[in-house]
Amino acid sequence: MSAAMNWSSDAEASLKEIPFVVRPIIRRRIESMAREAGLDGVDLAFYEQAKERFGRK
């Protein structure tokens, strides 16, 4: 299993704006994208980039 992903407090706060029903799915997708990018955490800048990518699909 992969290690827990660290989230900055501002990224975590932004995630809480997502409806709770889909929040776990979004969290997993963003964490997966962060791991693919070689990151061990999610900051607000990465969160915003990931959210933008969701909008393009």
Side-chain angles (χ1 to χ4, degrees):
M1 278 283 149
S2 25
M5 180 73 55
N6 296 316
W7 283 65
S8 68
S9 57
D10 50 357
E12 190 78 49
S14 292
L15 181 68
K16 288 183 178 171
E17 295 172 8
I18 303 285
F20 74 92
V21 175
V22 294
R23 196 178 302 154
I25 297 162
I26 300 300
R27 177 186 285 273
R28 282 193 299 273
R29 285 187 64 192
I30 290 175
E31 289 180 353
S32 176
M33 292 167 71
R35 284 188 185 94
E36 287 171 15
L39 303 174
D40 62 357
V42 176
D43 62 10
L44 185 59
F46 187 84
Y47 173 83
E48 293 295 334
Q49 288 174 354
K51 203 168 83 169
E52 225 176 86
R53 284 180 56 192
F54 293 154
R56 291 187 191 138
K57 291 185 178 178

